[in-house]
Amino acid sequence: GEGIIDGITGIVKLPMKAAKVDADSPIRGFAIGLGQGIIGIVIKPAVGVLDAVGEMSKAVRNSTETEISKMYPIRLRRYLSTEAKGALMQYSSREAQGFEMLRQRNLDQEFRYVYHVDVHLKIANFSAGNFIPSNENAGILMITDR
């Protein structure tokens, strides 16, 4: 690209420019400019290639970071029951939810999930003679193998 073009034009432009700058000895200036142009014909394309490689690696890094940061599970992990004896059972969001509750508490290695039930105990509050049901004692009853 531009590195090759700059290198080729530099071999012509730099000697002329250096000859004009060095008014005392234009031949010495021309020689210095010619040396700079010859070095530039090698260096500028190499810099262009390295710049392109750097930009490509930056693009790859940015694309992977963006994709990874956007990734999140669509559903909870499947509960793999030992009762299935190696067979992959149909996905159950209820079983996955129960297994996830055990996993988050680091109990999934010690206990095997069997079933869970959402428990909502209604407790009566009497306030100024009015009956007010309360959901303050909501919880989960977990059934495991132990």
Side-chain angles (χ1 to χ4, degrees), residues 17 20-21 37 45 56 59 62 64 71 83 125:
K17 184 177 178 182
K20 288 180 185 176
V21 170
M56 282 190 290
N62 290 343
T64 57
M71 290 176 54
E83 297 171 7
N125 278 334

Side-chain angles (χ1 to χ4, degrees), residues 15-33:
M16 299 297 207
K17 184 177 178 182
K20 288 180 185 176
V21 170
D22 195 351
D24 295 338
S25 178
I27 294 174
R28 184 180 64 182
F30 183 85
I32 291 171

Side-chain angles (χ1 to χ4, degrees), residues 3-71:
I4 295 171
I5 294 169
D6 288 345
I8 293 171
T9 58
I11 204 163
V12 175
K13 288 181 179 179
L14 288 174
M16 299 297 207
K17 184 177 178 182
K20 288 180 185 176
V21 170
D22 195 351
D24 295 338
S25 178
I27 294 174
R28 184 180 64 182
F30 183 85
I32 291 171
L34 185 62
Q36 290 173 340
I38 290 171
I39 291 172
I41 203 165
V42 174
I43 298 294
K44 287 181 180 181
V47 168
V49 168
L50 292 175
D51 187 43
V53 169
E55 290 299 317
M56 282 190 290
S57 66
K58 190 186 303 182
V60 168
R61 184 192 71 219
N62 290 343
S63 68
T64 57
E65 284 179 357
T66 302
E67 293 303 315
I68 290 172
S69 66
K70 289 181 182 177
M71 290 176 54

Side-chain angles (χ1 to χ4, degrees), residues 88-100:
L88 189 60
M89 304 302 285
Q90 182 176 356
Y91 179 79
S92 165
S93 60
R94 177 172 217 43
E95 288 178 350
Q97 184 183 31
F99 175 70
E100 183 65 17

Side-chain angles (χ1 to χ4, degrees), residues 62-141:
N62 290 343
S63 68
T64 57
E65 284 179 357
T66 302
E67 293 303 315
I68 290 172
S69 66
K70 289 181 182 177
M71 290 176 54
Y72 56 90
I74 295 171
R75 65 181 190 186
L76 295 173
R77 337 179 163 177
R78 176 187 304 270
Y79 170 64
L80 299 173
S81 171
T82 56
E83 297 171 7
K85 298 180 181 166
L88 189 60
M89 304 302 285
Q90 182 176 356
Y91 179 79
S92 165
S93 60
R94 177 172 217 43
E95 288 178 350
Q97 184 183 31
F99 175 70
E100 183 65 17
M101 286 185 275
L102 285 176
R103 192 187 69 74
Q104 286 178 354
R105 290 161 182 80
N106 295 320
L107 298 172
D108 57 316
Q109 299 298 316
E110 187 178 343
F111 298 98
R112 288 208 180 1
Y113 171 79
V114 176
Y115 196 75
H116 75 278
V117 177
D118 295 323
V119 179
H120 298 282
L121 299 175
K122 299 280 185 183
I123 298 176
N125 278 334
F126 288 98
S127 173
N130 296 322
F131 173 76
I132 303 169
S134 171
N135 287 332
E136 292 178 11
N137 291 325
I140 294 173
L141 172 64

